[in-house]
């Protein structure tokens, strides 16, 4: 089966503001995701992380600013067109088709993208095998343990090799050990499949452990960006998480 040819060198937001009425969920956000690496996006509750993902995947049009894929302005494309262009995502709440088994959950995505049923099932099996969960293929999605459900959600997003994968809190509710396992998988996704990953997590340690570049959002603005050492040393980041009053504590 012909795999989608990789074409896009970056998925980027430039000066993006998203306003809901008079409230700005994002203000002048600029960030860039490149293939082959995990990029982290962290920030307190309500900082605008999910809004950023929605904006990079066509679920939310920017009020001002641009979203580009390989240099092309895609800020007004709907989600299904961005998906075809190589931008995949998972959602904060799983959203598997609970009436289908795991294999079909993946295969319907392939069919939806215009591939044959047989080719879609073959790709689904290949992906499940690559992730080490081929034993789940015939299990109903409805009864899956939490950690398997997340893996299947990622496998489904990986159908037909996106260039970019945006993960909104994939480790929510997991134990530290489960989250570490998932982090290792996310790193493999970026490095072995040459995908640009944007990882959103409240588990900051996990994000810092696997990301080569981290963006920190607070109240809709990027207050810091850089590598692990820079983020760990940042006073601004500490204040955003602990509150500016924490110095007094
Ligand atoms: N459709 C919408 N209409 C109005 N306000 C919205 C809408 N979507 C998000 N918001 C607001 O924008 C802000 C950012 O929300 P967002 O969900 O992006 O934050 P988040 O960083 O993902 O938070 P969390 O960590 O809780 O998932 C919040 O104040 C939220 O209430
Ligand atoms: Mg969110």
């Amino acid at each position: 089966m012909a795999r989608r040819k990789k074409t896009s060198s970056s998925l980027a937001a430039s000066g993006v503001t998203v306003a809901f009425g008079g409230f700005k969920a994002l203000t002048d956000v600029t960030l860039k995701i490149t293939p082959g690496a995990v990029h982290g996006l962290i920030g307190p509750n309500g900082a605008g992380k999910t809004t950023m993902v929605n904006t990079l995947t066509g679920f939310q049009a920017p009020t001002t600013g641009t979203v580009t894929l390989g240099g092309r302005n895609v800020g007004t494309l709907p989600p299904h067109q961005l998906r075809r262009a190589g931008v995949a995502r998972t959602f904060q709440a799983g959203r598997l088709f609970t009436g289908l088994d795991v294999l079909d959950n993946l295969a319907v995505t392939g069919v939806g993208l215009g591939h044959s049923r047989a080719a879609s099932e073959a790709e689904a099996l290949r992906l499940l095998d690559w992730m080490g969960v081929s034993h789940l293929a015939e299990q109903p999605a409805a009864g899956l343990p939490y950690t398997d459900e997340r893996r299947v959600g990622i496998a489904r997003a990986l159908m037909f090799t996106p260039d970019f994968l945006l993960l909104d809190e994939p480790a929510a509710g997991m134990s530290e050990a489960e989250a570490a396992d998932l982090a290792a998988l996310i790193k493999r996704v970026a490095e072995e499949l040459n995908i640009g990953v944007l990882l959103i997590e409240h588990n900051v340690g996990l994000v810092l452990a696997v990301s080569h570049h981290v963006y920190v959002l607070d109240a809709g603005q990027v207050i810091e960006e850089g590598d692990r050492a820079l983020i760990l040393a940042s006073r601004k980041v500490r204040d955003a998480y602990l509150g500016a009053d924490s110095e007094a504590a």
Side-chain angles (χ1 to χ4, degrees), residues 7 14 20 46-47 60 62 77 81-82 99 118 127 129 157 163 178 184-185 204 210-211 216 219-220 224:
T7 48
S14 179
F20 298 113
Q60 173 68 53
L77 290 188
Q81 283 187 24
L82 267 173
L127 262 175
D129 187 48
D163 291 327
E178 290 165 346
L185 172 67
V204 173
V210 297
S211 300
V216 185
E224 195 72 273

Side-chain angles (χ1 to χ4, degrees), residues 100 120 201:
L100 302 178
S120 299
E201 260 301 327

Side-chain angles (χ1 to χ4, degrees), residues 20 23-26 43-52 54 60 92 168-169 200 202 217:
F20 298 113
F23 173 75
K24 287 181 180 172
L26 294 174
N45 284 112
K49 304 179 297 294
T50 297
T51 304
M52 190 68 244
N54 289 341
Q60 173 68 53
Q92 218 164 334
D168 198 352
E169 300 198 25
I200 293 176
H202 278 286
L217 272 181

Side-chain angles (χ1 to χ4, degrees), residues 90-96 98 102 131 133 135-136 139-155 168-183 185-186 200-203 206:
T90 60
F91 291 89
Q92 218 164 334
R95 292 205 192 179
L96 293 182
T98 50
V102 165
M131 288 179 130
V133 291
H135 61 282
L136 297 179
Q139 296 213 12
L144 286 181
Y146 211 46
T147 53
D148 286 339
E149 186 200 52
R150 294 297 167 82
R151 279 182 157 67
V152 171
I154 292 172
D168 198 352
E169 300 198 25
M174 288 188 183
S175 69
E176 281 295 323
E178 290 165 346
D181 275 356
L182 188 76
L185 172 67
I186 290 167
I200 293 176
E201 260 301 327
H202 278 286
N203 185 338
L206 182 146

